Amino acid sequence: MQRLKIQYLLKEDVSALIGTTICVKGWVRTKRGNKNVAFIALNDGSIIHNIQIVADPAKFEEELKHITTGACIGVEGKLVESQGSGQAVEIQAENIVIYGEADPNTYPLQKKGHSMEFLREIGHLRPRTNTFGAVMRMRHEMAYAIHTFFHNKGFYYFHTPLITASDCEGAGEMFQVTTMDLNNIPKKEDGSVDYEQDFFGKQTALTVSGQLEGELGATALGAIYTFGPTFRAENSNTPRHLAEFWMVEPEMAFYDLDDLTALEEEFIKFLVKWALDNCKEDLEFLNNMIDKGLIERLKSVINTDFVRLPYTEGIKILEEAVAKGHKFEFPVSWGVDLASEHERFLVEEHFKKPVIMIDYPKEIKAFYMKQNDDGKTVQGTDVLFPQIGEIIGGSVREESYDKLMTRITELNIPMKDMWWYLDTRRYGSCPHAGFGLGFERLMLFVTGMANIRDVIPFPRTPKTAEF
Ligand code: 4AD
Ligand code: MG
């Protein structure tokens, strides 16, 4: 018999099926009852809610012994209107198949309310919990929304390489990729490593960003976006950093700073609205169980104008706050890279809404950002969000070959691997801009989860690469 998804039975109008025999399959969440009747709550991952199976203990005596939390079963039975509250329909079991038992003495997901830390230790099973089911379904929805947004705007999905020889952000936080025998590394006469003998014939690493190649796409196709994994070997053990995370990087020819910040704002609002419109059950669950202010916060973001704040003005606001007695752990003055406490002050206390900070000192930003005429600042943008801090980093790109070369030389960036990037400025150079949205930072915002390790199925962080 054809299996029906529980989402279909609980969300669609199934009145025509009432009284007929149907089939569902899934994992047992709970079993309760007495000697006259047994109730099984069954979940198949298609929706946060369970369907209730009603079984006669006399008829299913043997099966019920093996039906414990976590077991996988298939049920054929009559769909009826539910007597109890909380669900519209339930199933009166006529036939039960047990696919896989789950020994109650060892199955770790017994009681409700495990800590997030414990669930990370059983990352292979945590997708079966309500919370992680909700987060993973929303992750899918957000990925789909991202493709929808750009497709509707005529952007092309452009696949940039994961293995690369260039360090886009220039921070030296790359994971090396090699097939060399680490116990017997080929050396040149001067004692340095002979990368010519390595797989690619040069030193390579996992990419920190697809931007540089994305610029090649944008200066040919007009507007592109990437959406893929990126890797950073930064040793930051924070609730907002992963060593492997997903980034969305649109890159647009002929965009200036205003076009760029407008797209950043429109994009995030589209995604948040998509979550509100398409993830209702999961959001209600997360709002109840994880973060009571979640849905309100999402609604407020789509109904508010994001602030455009030049870095220099932001510093003034922070300095005034310090003068009035506000205590920050890290000092503030023009030129510093803002710490998350500073960003949060601006967003959560001063403006009380998302802030797009622009025109940063060139010293604290990457080499490719467009230089302003003041000689001090560049057209970089960071979108700062309540509770998350930086959710997007982007910029207008320096299109002048000479200015870009000067910056590359000042920063001692190795030229030999960048010739192809410089060619975009040599041949048909055009004004262009782009940004990178950290997908997991977005997921933190739309789910209300507190730790970035809990919005990706299998987090990679310093000293953890389990599963
Ligand atoms: O600000 P970042 O480093 O910018 C770039 O990589 C640019 N090349 C993007 C571009 O202009 N195309 O990173 C972009 C975003 C950040 O704003 C943040 O949301 C996220 O990526 N991010 C991280 N997310 C999780 N873990 C980390 N370690 C992250 N580092 C950056
Ligand atoms: Mg950044």
Side-chain angles (χ1 to χ4, degrees):
M1 179 178 278
Q2 163 121 49
R3 165 197 166 217
L4 295 179
K5 288 208 177 166
I6 294 171
Q7 180 196 50
Y8 173 72
L9 294 170
L10 298 183
K11 272 184 88 172
E12 305 296 320
D13 177 7
V14 288
S15 47
L17 290 177
I18 298 285
T20 68
T21 297
I22 58 148
C23 170
V24 291
K25 298 177 181 180
W27 294 268
V28 173
R29 283 295 161 82
T30 57
K31 180 185 72 177
R32 61 189 177 84
N34 52 43
K35 63 183 190 316
N36 299 318
V37 63
F39 299 105
I40 301 161
L42 195 68
N43 188 284
D44 67 1
S46 62
I47 187 169
I48 187 114
H49 303 301
N50 308 321
I51 196 154
Q52 175 153 287
I53 313 289
V54 185
D56 176 359
K59 183 169 178 202
F60 295 107
E61 190 186 353
E62 191 52 31
E63 287 86 348
L64 284 168
K65 278 187 211 156
H66 303 284
I67 294 179
T68 55
T69 296
C72 183
I73 64 172
V75 179
E76 287 174 0
K78 199 199 284 181
L79 188 71
V80 297
E81 275 170 38
S82 181
Q83 309 302 308
S85 62
Q87 68 265 326
V89 291
E90 60 190 28
I91 298 170
Q92 288 173 350
E94 291 164 358
N95 187 25
I96 299 179
V97 185
I98 295 168
Y99 293 118
E101 297 176 36
D103 181 354
N105 297 313
T106 55
Y107 185 61
L109 288 173
Q110 292 301 335
K111 60 176 176 27
K112 291 178 183 168
H114 293 295
S115 72
M116 292 296 161
E117 288 76 14
F118 173 70
L119 290 173
R120 267 172 233 146
E121 287 170 24
I122 52 162
H124 58 308
L125 296 172
R126 72 178 184 170
R128 295 191 194 180
T129 63
N130 284 332
T131 302
F132 286 89
V135 170
M136 295 313 146
R137 275 186 298 273
M138 284 190 68
R139 216 181 134 95
H140 163 79
E141 277 294 340
M142 289 297 100
Y144 186 63
I146 285 162
H147 288 298
T148 305
F149 178 84
F150 287 121
H151 179 76
N152 289 347
K153 281 193 162 297
F155 283 52
Y156 299 106
Y157 184 23
F158 191 68
H159 295 99
T160 53
L162 300 191
I163 300 174
T164 175
S166 48
D167 181 359
C168 174
E169 294 307 297
E173 290 166 338
M174 302 183 87
F175 289 101
Q176 274 199 54
V177 172
T178 179
T179 52
M180 291 192 297
D181 176 359
L182 295 187
N183 293 312
N184 185 17
I185 297 174
K187 296 270 173 69
K188 293 195 279 202
E189 267 175 18
D190 65 3
S192 63
V193 178
D194 185 4
Y195 284 106
E196 274 178 32
Q197 295 192 44
D198 203 355
F199 187 90
F200 295 106
K202 56 160 81 169
Q203 190 176 7
T204 54
L206 295 176
T207 190
V208 297
S209 160
Q211 177 196 321
L212 301 185
E213 293 89 351
E215 288 185 47
L216 308 181
T219 53
L221 299 168
I224 61 92
Y225 68 104
T226 71
F227 183 10
T230 44
F231 308 87
R232 303 223 176 155
E234 55 184 329
N235 199 1
S236 5
N237 256 306
T238 82
R240 295 179 298 111
H241 288 88
L242 290 166
E244 176 180 295
F245 64 99
W246 286 64
M247 186 150 54
V248 186
E249 295 183 275
E251 191 72 33
M252 299 74 63
F254 314 117
Y255 267 50
D256 65 14
L257 188 64
D258 289 340
D259 301 328
L260 176 68
T261 58
L263 186 75
E264 292 171 343
E265 179 166 353
E266 184 190 350
F267 180 48
I268 299 192
K269 284 180 170 170
F270 177 91
L271 298 178
V272 172
K273 181 161 189 312
W274 187 286
L276 286 165
D277 291 347
N278 295 283
C279 307
K280 202 165 161 291
E281 291 83 11
D282 289 328
L283 273 181
E284 277 165 6
F285 173 84
L286 293 165
N287 194 77
N288 285 338
M289 304 301 290
I290 301 290
D291 177 353
K292 296 265 188 278
L294 174 62
I295 293 178
E296 266 321 299
R297 201 157 58 244
L298 298 187
K299 285 184 179 157
S300 85
V301 158
I302 56 176
N303 292 319
T304 193
D305 291 334
F306 296 6
V307 177
R308 308 295 193 268
L309 180 70
Y311 170 92
T312 303
E313 276 177 40
I315 291 292
K316 269 192 212 133
I317 294 170
L318 292 167
E319 282 175 340
E320 276 161 24
V322 171
K324 283 186 192 142
H326 192 94
K327 294 263 181 297
F328 291 115
E329 192 184 334
F330 298 100
V332 192
S333 63
W334 200 94
V336 300
D337 204 355
L338 295 184
S340 101
E341 56 171 347
H342 306 134
E343 297 175 344
R344 293 186 65 161
F345 177 85
L346 291 169
V347 173
E348 290 165 25
E349 295 184 44
H350 188 83
F351 290 105
K352 298 192 168 58
K353 49 162 107 173
V355 170
I356 308 186
M357 191 170 262
I358 55 174
D359 294 332
Y360 282 85
K362 66 173 188 228
E363 282 73 22
I364 59 172
K365 289 291 181 190
F367 73 95
Y368 50 71
M369 296 196 181
K370 185 175 174 68
Q371 298 158 34
N372 281 320
D373 293 338
D374 62 12
K376 293 195 306 198
T377 59
V378 289
Q379 295 185 11
T381 72
D382 277 5
V383 181
L384 309 176
F385 253 54
Q387 289 174 330
I388 313 296
E390 179 189 337
I391 192 164
I392 280 182
S395 80
V396 181
R397 316 307 187 191
E398 182 54 71
E399 84 255 25
S400 148
Y401 180 87
D402 291 339
K403 285 190 188 166
L404 190 62
M405 269 308 283
T406 311
R407 198 73 192 120
I408 286 179
T409 317
E410 277 168 12
L411 292 171
N412 277 321
I413 295 172
M415 289 294 303
K416 70 174 182 7
D417 295 321
M418 296 296 277
W419 61 273
W420 50 272
Y421 183 73
L422 288 162
D423 267 4
T424 55
R425 276 57 171 181
R426 214 193 308 256
Y427 306 118
S429 186
C430 76
H432 62 290
F435 66 81
L437 167 91
F439 187 55
E440 286 74 22
R441 301 260 175 102
L442 170 79
M443 290 310 302
L444 282 175
F445 186 71
V446 295
T447 61
M449 298 292 283
N451 193 308
I452 201 162
R453 293 163 178 79
D454 302 328
V455 293
I456 187 167
F458 307 106
R460 275 16 184 172
T461 52
K463 302 274 180 274
T464 17
E466 197 68 47
F467 315 112

